Amino acid sequence: MSRWKALPAELDPRVRQLLVRLRRLKDHSGLSVRQLAARTGYSPKSWERYLGGRSLPPREAVEALARIGGDDPTRLLALHEVATEAWGNPRESGTAVADTAVAEGDAPVSVGAVTEPEILSAGPGRVGSARSLRIALLAGAVALALAVSSAVLVTVRLMDHGGGAATEETTTTVTVTAGVSAPTYTCHLKQADGRWYAGNSRTRDATVGYGDAGPEVAEVQCLLRRAGISPGGIDGMFGPLTQGAVKRIQQRAGLEVDGLVGPRTWKALRG
């Protein structure tokens, strides 16, 4: 595994989260920076800046690395959206860093001295509508929660402006109710082939981190609880309590303490 330099201390945690995931994907791919440049069309210097935290990678570069590393692009693109907002300099489509050349409708052109031939494939497909499912679900949940907790007060005032006429005031209260069906998770612990499973997911290599949601997160929470470390509730949401619990088991197992659940952390959880 590459020995990475420490990321700049001033980086926003949301940007740091994205870069840690990208570094792990690059390590998992086994590619050098030059080989990565040839596979994606972004120059080696660009990748050094992206992975070193000096520049935020464009959306297309994140998606390309996700596909090379075998990760789900949707999750990384969701992290990229959050990181872009945190970076404070939202990118528009087609904007590139100085030595990163990506022409609209053309194959990416590598800038800088690349001694190896470029591997020009069809290139990473653009996910035009790949908005974060997690963000959409959270937004929907917030909207429903507001609908449940709020009451609409309709006040109808019938006023007769004639001299001395009485004013009739009718107040109608309408209560809006809505059912919010959130997924529920339980822990059914079972050991098979020397590994523990909680019945939510059988994955051993998916990368799960802060902000993720779903059965993989619930599986992590159940296994953390089995190990005697409380992640909070078993709700399938990777929040600060779950992240802190993951860091504790990583420290206990002698792993890199980054709060991300990858193949090594899965092995510690299931062992």
Side-chain angles (χ1 to χ4, degrees):
M1 181 177 291
S2 302
R3 299 190 63 85
W4 295 100
K5 293 183 179 179
L7 290 169
E10 65 273 12
L11 272 184
D12 186 281
R14 292 165 291 181
V15 178
R16 183 181 299 273
Q17 178 79 9
L18 173 66
L19 298 184
V20 169
R21 293 282 286 271
L22 293 179
R23 284 181 170 191
R24 293 184 69 163
L25 278 176
K26 188 264 181 189
D27 288 341
H28 182 69
S29 72
L31 298 175
S32 67
V33 174
R34 286 185 176 274
Q35 290 170 331
L36 184 61
R39 290 283 295 273
T40 62
Y42 293 87
S43 71
K45 288 185 178 180
S46 295
W47 277 114
E48 288 173 1
R49 287 203 313 275
Y50 300 156
L51 299 174
R54 300 192 302 276
S55 179
L56 192 67
R59 181 185 183 90
E60 292 81 1
V62 171
E63 184 178 2
L65 182 52
R67 295 189 184 281
I68 290 172
D71 201 359
D72 180 8
T74 305
R75 289 184 177 181
L76 274 181
L77 291 174
L79 283 178
H80 181 264
E81 283 189 24
V82 176
T84 300
E85 182 180 354
W87 192 268
N89 184 22
R91 294 182 177 273
E92 298 180 359
S93 178
T95 303
V97 188
D99 62 350
T100 303
V102 181
E104 184 69 17
D106 298 331
V109 180
S110 175
V111 178
V114 179
T115 58
E116 299 177 8
E118 285 192 3
I119 302 174
L120 296 178
S121 59
R126 292 176 181 268
V127 186
S129 61
R131 292 289 178 183
S132 165
L133 176 61
R134 178 177 59 82
I135 294 176
L137 289 174
L138 289 177
V142 171
L144 287 174
L146 290 175
V148 172
S149 63
S150 63
V152 180
L153 297 179
V154 180
T155 304
V156 180
R157 289 184 173 87
L158 302 176
M159 302 180 67
D160 183 358
H161 293 288
T167 299
E168 180 181 354
E169 181 175 317
T170 304
T171 302
T172 305
T173 302
V174 180
T175 303
V176 180
T177 60
V180 181
S181 58
T184 56
Y185 300 101
T186 56
C187 301
H188 299 290
L189 291 168
K190 186 180 297 184
Q191 194 173 26
D193 299 328
R195 298 185 180 91
W196 285 96
Y197 297 91
N200 296 300
S201 173
R202 297 185 68 84
T203 184
R204 287 188 287 166
D205 54 8
T207 303
V208 185
Y210 187 86
D212 286 337
E216 291 85 2
V217 178
E219 184 79 1
V220 170
Q221 292 171 331
C222 288
L223 295 175
L224 283 167
R225 183 170 289 182
R226 187 202 71 82
I229 302 175
S230 174
I234 310 299
D235 55 6
M237 301 292 293
F238 203 118
L241 292 178
T242 301
Q243 185 182 52
V246 169
K247 288 182 177 180
R248 287 196 292 276
I249 199 166
Q250 286 174 333
Q251 187 175 20
R252 178 194 294 178
L255 302 176
E256 179 185 359
V257 180
D258 56 9
L260 288 172
V261 180
R264 294 185 177 182
T265 304
W266 279 115
K267 184 176 181 181
L269 286 169
R270 296 200 185 279

